[in-house]
Amino acid sequence: MADALQRERRRQRFAADAKRAPPPLPKREFAHPEKLVKSDADAVLAKFLARKVAAGATLTDLQKRALGSVDSTRINQPVPSPKEITVSKRSELEPASPAPVAPALASPVAADQPRRLLTLRKKLREIADLERREAEEGAVLQANQRAKIQQKSALEAELASLVTE
């Protein structure tokens, strides 16, 4: 008897659900790959802080500093919607001609010099640290650490040659 009552209630519920309209489909809004959307961050920040002050909320020190740095004339200006400041194509933002390559960075060897300088300086710092640990703390160095210390003169010569170029 209880099963029959439960089945009847379920049938009525399904019949009522069938009469209702289906829910609306979700809106799928996404940025188009050919468009860039920009916003005026200073104007948005100014409006936000003005709303907080008007509501009587206390501002943090960081917000007070930001309010001081934001142009006060922008607080009352309307913030443009993203549609108003959408750029239709990326090509409008790109320069007409490509930027000229600096002659010093034209060759791959010249472009790699700053990285090589950093690498050499790092290796020399590590060698100096190993020497200091050996002298002050009496640390026993392993074979690969001793081999690294033996490369010191060659690394210094290479660094000197790169710096003089």
Side-chain angles (χ1 to χ4, degrees), residues 93-103 105-106:
L93 295 177
E94 296 171 358
S97 62
V101 177
L105 299 177

Side-chain angles (χ1 to χ4, degrees), residues 141-159:
L141 299 180
Q142 295 181 4
N144 63 339
Q145 293 172 326
R146 280 186 256 119
K148 187 180 236 183
I149 291 175
Q150 290 174 353
Q151 295 175 350
K152 182 178 180 179
S153 60
L155 294 174
E156 287 175 338
E158 186 179 352
L159 179 67

Side-chain angles (χ1 to χ4, degrees), residues 54-157:
T58 57
L59 299 178
T60 64
D61 293 335
L62 187 61
Q63 290 172 339
K64 287 177 185 175
R65 250 189 310 161
L67 185 61
S69 68
V70 171
D71 186 11
S72 61
T73 60
R74 303 184 93 164
I75 293 176
N76 295 326
Q77 290 179 349
V79 177
S81 68
K83 290 181 182 177
E84 294 175 10
I85 52 177
T86 300
V87 178
S88 62
K89 294 183 181 177
R90 290 183 186 269
S91 61
E92 293 177 13
L93 295 177
E94 296 171 358
S97 62
V101 177
L105 299 177
S107 69
V109 175
D112 195 39
Q113 278 187 348
R115 179 174 289 165
R116 185 65 184 154
L117 283 172
L118 291 174
T119 304
L120 290 173
R121 288 178 181 152
K122 179 181 178 185
K123 286 182 180 181
L124 288 171
R125 277 194 313 270
E126 290 171 349
I127 290 171
D129 184 46
L130 289 173
E131 289 174 338
R132 181 196 55 80
R133 283 181 41 211
E134 185 179 30
E136 292 177 4
E137 301 171 10
V140 178
L141 299 180
Q142 295 181 4
N144 63 339
Q145 293 172 326
R146 280 186 256 119
K148 187 180 236 183
I149 291 175
Q150 290 174 353
Q151 295 175 350
K152 182 178 180 179
S153 60
L155 294 174
E156 287 175 338

